Amino acid sequence: MSNNRISMAVIRRLPKYHRYLRELLDKGINRISSKELSEIIGFTASQIRQDLNNFGGFGQQGYGYNVEDLYNEIGLILGLTNTYSTVIVGAGNLGQALANYNFGTHGFKLEGMFDVNPKLIGLKIRDIEIKDMDLLQGEIKNKNIDIAYICTSKDAAQEVADRLVKCGVKAIWNFAPIDLKIEDENIIVENVHLIDSLLTLSYFLKDQ
Amino acid sequence: MSNNRISMAVIRRLPKYHRYLRELLDKGINRISSKELSEIIGFTASQIRQDLNNFGGFGQQGYGYNVEDLYNEIGLILGLTNTYSTVIVGAGNLGQALANYNFGTHGFKLEGMFDVNPKLIGLKIRDIEIKDMDLLQGEIKNKNIDIAYICTSKDAAQEVADRLVKCGVKAIWNFAPIDLKIEDENIIVENVHLIDSLLTLSYFLKDQ
DNA sequence: TGCAATTAGTTAATTAATTGACAAATAAAT
DNA sequence: ATTTATTTGTCAATTAATTAACTAATTGCA
C-alpha cells in the first residue's frame, strides 16, 4: 500500500479528496460515485478512479464509494491516525497565527513556541508559552518533536533548520521564503512560499 | 509574449527563478549559464532553457544569461512592474501577519483591512486601520481595489468572495480552507490551502 | 587570427499524467 | 428471477511535461 511510486500529482490531490469527503459526511451523504464526486470536486471521474486505485479498490461496481469508508481510508493514507508533536519556531504574527489554527484537531499537537525577541518570550498563545530560542534544542530532544514549523525571517531560517535537523526533527514545514538546504534525505521538507503564490496570481492578473 | 498556452508547471516555476536571480544579483553575479543555474536551483539545465524560451530568447550562446536582464524580464512576465491595490478581509492573526509581510515592496499596496470582530475594528496595523466589514464594498469601489486577500474563517469565505466579485475585485488570494465558487471566469483565484500542505507533509512523514 | 570550449535555442525522444473505453460486477427495477 | 442501469477497476490511447541531442553562435585563449 505505502508504495512510494505514487506520483506527487496524485499525493497533492489527496488532501482535497479528504476535504470534500468530510463535507459530504457532514451533509449526511454516505454514498458517492466517481461521476458525482467529479462534478463537485472538479477532477474527471476517470482521474478519481485512477487516483484511488493507486491505494486500493475502495469502491464497488454498480454502487460507487462509501463516503465514510473512503474518508477514513484517505485519512489513513495521509497518516492522520497518527499523532505528531510539533513546535513553532519564530513566534511573530505568522507563528502566532499558526498556533491559533489549532491543527491539533488533525493530530498535530503543538508542544512549544520559540523566538529570539525578548518582547515575545514569556507570552502565552493558547496555553503555549513562547520560549527563548536558546531552549530549542533541549526541548525538541526532550519532547521528541516530530515536526517544526519555521516561521522565522528568511535570514534565520537556514540556521534554525540546521539546528532542528541536528536534534532529530523528522519534518519541517517551512514558511520562510528560501529553499532550505538539508543534507539528510530522510527529513521531509514542505514549503509554503507565500510570495511564490502571490507572484503566480500576479502573472495571471497581468494578462487580464 | 503573454501567450496563454504557457503551462501551469512553467508558470509556477517563474517565482523561483525570480527568487534565485535576485539572490545572484545581490551577490554581485552578473552572468550565469543554464548549467550553473541548474546546480543552484535544482531544475535541469534543459528545463531552464525550455522554460525561459517560452517567453523569449534571453540568453546568448557561449555566454549564458545576464542575471540582471533576466531578473527584470521575469519580473516583467510576472507583472511586477505594475502596482496593485489590495485589501485584507479578515484581520485575525493571519490577516495581521500578511499585513506585516509588507508585500508592498513587490508592488502590492495594502489599502485596507476589514473584520466583523468589534475588538479588532479600529486597531491599526502598519498605519492601516481595521474597518468594519460593512464598509467593505464602498471602500473597494472607492479605492479601486485589484486584489483581496481572504483570511476569514471557512464559513465566511464564500459570502465574502461573492461580495468582492460584485464590487469589481480582479483577483482573490484565498487562505480559507475551501474552494471558492466564482462564476466569472475572469476573476483570478489563487489558493493557499495550508491544511493541504500540512497533510501532504503528513503523507510523507507516515512512510518514514 | 584561428581554434577549442562553451552555451543557448530548438527539435526529437522519452517519460509522466490524464483521459477514454470497456469488461465485469453490482444494484435497482420489473 | 430476469433484465436494465450503474459504476468500478483496469488497460489503452492521448496529451503534457521533461530530458536529451544537436546545431549554430559566441567567447576566450593561444
Side-chain angles (χ1 to χ4, degrees), chain A residues 7 13 31 44 46-47 49-50 60-63:
Chain A
S7 81
R13 280 192 292 269
R31 171 185 169 175
T44 65
S46 184
Q47 180 163 69
R49 295 201 299 278
Q50 285 272 22
Q60 188 62 259
Q61 282 128 314
Y63 176 86

Side-chain angles (χ1 to χ4, degrees), chain B:
Chain B
M1 206 160 272
S2 58
N3 185 338
N4 59 352
R5 267 114 50 72
I6 309 289
S7 82
M8 192 55 115
V10 172
I11 294 163
R12 292 214 175 268
R13 280 193 291 269
L14 292 176
K16 191 160 167 178
Y17 287 119
H18 196 253
R19 203 149 34 86
Y20 276 84
L21 288 165
R22 173 78 258 167
E23 258 176 44
L24 290 170
L25 259 187
D26 290 343
K27 282 184 192 158
I29 296 167
N30 50 26
R31 171 185 168 174
I32 195 149
S33 70
S34 59
K35 183 159 176 290
E36 291 167 313
L37 187 55
S38 88
E39 277 152 20
I40 60 172
I41 206 171
F43 307 148
T44 64
S46 186
Q47 179 162 71
I48 292 169
R49 295 200 300 277
Q50 286 270 21
D51 282 354
L52 298 178
N53 253 85
N54 280 293
F55 304 98
F58 303 132
Q60 189 61 261
Q61 283 127 314
Y63 176 86
Y65 300 87
N66 177 286
V67 173
E68 187 172 2
D69 289 351
L70 188 55
Y71 174 77
N72 289 332
E73 289 284 0
I74 293 178
L76 213 59
I77 293 163
L78 289 171
L80 300 181
T81 44
N82 305 350
T83 305
Y84 298 111
S85 53
T86 72
V87 293
I88 291 173
V89 190
N93 288 94
L94 179 62
Q96 293 183 31
L98 293 181
N100 280 295
Y101 255 82
N102 201 16
F103 295 116
T105 56
H106 294 85
F108 304 89
K109 183 150 192 298
L110 184 60
E111 298 279 9
M113 296 179 75
F114 300 89
D115 207 292
V116 290
N117 185 346
K119 283 179 191 159
L120 292 175
I121 296 169
L123 206 74
K124 269 194 171 184
I125 313 285
R126 285 204 167 215
D127 291 328
I128 305 286
E129 188 188 329
I130 300 174
K131 294 195 177 154
D132 192 303
M133 194 79 96
D134 291 340
L135 303 172
L136 183 67
Q137 276 108 318
E139 295 242 350
I140 290 202
K141 283 181 195 163
N142 243 358
K143 295 192 173 165
N144 235 295
I145 299 301
D146 301 302
I147 312 175
Y149 309 165
I150 295 187
C151 306
T152 66
S153 71
K154 176 187 157 185
D155 296 328
Q158 182 64 58
E159 200 212 313
V160 162
D162 292 341
R163 289 166 65 183
L164 290 168
V165 169
K166 229 179 261 174
C167 28
V169 151
K170 299 193 189 79
I172 292 172
W173 199 20
N174 174 47
F175 287 80
I178 185 180
D179 297 314
L180 300 169
K181 263 94 190 158
I182 311 276
E183 291 298 305
D184 186 343
E185 301 236 320
N186 293 316
I187 309 285
I188 317 298
V189 179
E190 170 74 14
N191 292 300
V192 178
H193 284 159
L194 295 183
I195 189 67
D196 289 18
S197 174
L198 185 57
L199 296 201
T200 302
L201 181 153
S202 177
Y203 172 87
F204 289 108
L205 194 50
K206 182 204 59 169
D207 289 343
Q208 287 291 310

Side-chain angles (χ1 to χ4, degrees), chain A residues 25-60:
Chain A
L25 259 186
D26 290 344
K27 283 184 191 158
I29 295 167
N30 49 29
R31 171 185 169 175
I32 195 151
S33 70
S34 60
K35 185 159 174 290
E36 293 167 312
L37 187 55
S38 86
E39 277 152 20
I40 60 173
I41 207 173
F43 307 149
T44 65
S46 184
Q47 180 163 69
I48 292 169
R49 295 201 299 278
Q50 285 272 22
D51 282 354
L52 299 178
N53 253 84
N54 281 292
F55 304 98
F58 303 133
Q60 188 62 259

